[in-house]
Amino acid sequence: LYILHGLLGSSKNFLTPSHRLSLLPHFSSVTLLDLRGHGLSPHDSLSGTATLTECAEDIAETVGNGMDGAVVIGHSAGGKVALSYLERALAYRRRREGKGSCGGGGVEYPLPSKLIILDSIPVSVPRGGPDDLVSTVLDSLGTVPLPAPSKSAVRSYLLEESRLPRHIAEWMTTNLVPTKTPPNEYYNVSDKRPPTSNGNDNSNNGDNDDDKRTTPSSYVFTFDLPTCRSLYASFGLADFVPMLGSESFRESGVEVHFVVAGGEMGRWV
């Protein structure tokens, strides 16, 4: 079983469900993957660009034959990455059978047995406009002064300055990691420093205990923002309906299941 997280997330988002799934007899192993520009995947070698196809290539190069007959769970953008992998795997199969051509050099794309797509739909998703919360969040993250002295400082900035919903601001604090770089000078100006949470804030999920630390530190996001912007653009344009309606997909025997919660229908990725 392989699990792919969504945009601005990381593999740690699925630590609890992956542990529970690992206890089931259905899977011999459960592997969490960080998409390029996210989590523990390298950032310094990136050019600030990413597409679904490039993420699919990363998976093929990382997992190799482990994908043969595997089950893949993809959440949101991770779901479309899984579909992109399947599209390339079908093209690779056609090439092996002499029925078509496929790029990717010598990289192999073994077919998984099942894809489970969470909170994502296989069609293109319009971007922009007042209802595009993802673009709003990406723009807001680009204004956060980093490094920040604490996770709560970032949360407060996103709440007070960017006016993001509290659940989004809280989630963003889970994507912060320590760095040895001193905090941005923005936080040294008392009249500019974002207010921290008060005693009436019950939304602390244990991620803001850094304010009690004894060793000075600062924080940066664990994702590469330009890469995330590029991936979101690729996500919006991708349409996998033709692939899912193709003869090669029907003949492959691969199962694809879509699970959509709530009413946003793919707006968040």
Side-chain angles (χ1 to χ4, degrees):
L1 171 65
Y2 295 93
I3 302 178
L4 308 176
H5 62 81
L7 190 73
L8 301 177
S10 71
S11 57
K12 72 178 184 178
N13 297 149
F14 285 88
L15 288 177
T16 298
S18 66
H19 174 69
R20 293 178 180 177
L21 289 169
S22 70
L23 301 178
L24 300 177
H26 307 74
F27 308 113
S28 59
S29 65
V30 178
T31 303
L32 303 175
L33 299 173
D34 281 322
L35 301 180
R36 69 164 52 198
H38 293 74
L40 298 178
S41 291
H43 294 187
D44 53 1
S45 61
L46 296 174
S47 61
T49 63
T51 64
L52 297 177
T53 297
E54 289 173 329
C55 290
E57 292 174 353
D58 293 341
I59 293 171
E61 293 175 354
T62 302
V63 175
N65 289 330
M67 190 63 75
D68 188 16
V71 176
V72 181
I73 296 177
H75 175 241
S76 242
K80 276 201 167 181
V81 170
L83 289 170
S84 180
Y85 177 91
L86 176 59
E87 185 174 59
R88 293 186 69 79
L90 293 175
Y92 175 79
R93 184 187 187 194
R94 292 197 303 272
R95 185 181 66 175
R96 290 284 299 269
E97 295 174 349
K99 299 179 180 179
S101 61
C102 174
V107 179
E108 296 185 357
Y109 291 82
L111 277 174
S113 63
K114 182 184 297 185
L115 269 57
I116 301 174
I117 312 300
L118 308 177
D119 289 339
S120 189
I121 52 180
V123 300
S124 59
V125 180
R127 295 182 298 126
D131 296 328
D132 187 357
L133 177 59
V134 183
S135 289
T136 299
V137 171
L138 289 170
D139 290 342
S140 297
L141 293 175
T143 69
V144 178
L146 295 174
S150 66
K151 293 184 178 182
S152 59
V154 173
R155 180 187 61 179
S156 296
Y157 183 94
L158 293 174
L159 287 172
E160 302 296 330
E161 302 295 329
S162 301
R163 304 292 182 180
L164 290 183
R166 179 169 292 276
H167 70 281
I168 297 294
E170 288 290 344
W171 177 43
M172 287 300 104
T173 66
T174 69
N175 295 312
L176 291 165
V177 291
T179 179
K180 296 181 180 179
T181 306
N184 189 294
E185 62 180 7
Y186 170 93
Y187 300 99
N188 295 330
V189 182
S190 59
D191 62 343
K192 284 187 177 181
R193 183 165 181 170
T196 56
S197 59
N198 55 42
N200 296 324
D201 184 359
N202 297 319
S203 59
N204 190 323
N205 295 319
D207 293 310
N208 297 315
D209 292 337
D210 54 280
D211 289 325
K212 301 177 182 179
R213 66 190 185 279
T214 57
T215 303
S217 182
S218 56
Y219 292 84
V220 294
F221 288 119
T222 187
F223 45 74
D224 180 71
L225 191 56
T227 302
C228 292
R229 290 181 186 276
S230 179
L231 185 57
Y232 181 49
S234 179
F235 173 93
L237 295 173
D239 183 354
F240 295 102
V241 171
M243 181 266 290
L244 294 172
S246 68
E247 182 178 356
S248 60
F249 170 69
R250 292 192 297 270
E251 293 177 346
S252 70
V254 178
E255 296 181 24
V256 177
H257 303 268
F258 293 91
V259 181
V260 179
E264 294 194 22
M265 292 299 291
R267 175 53 64 182
W268 184 252
V269 297

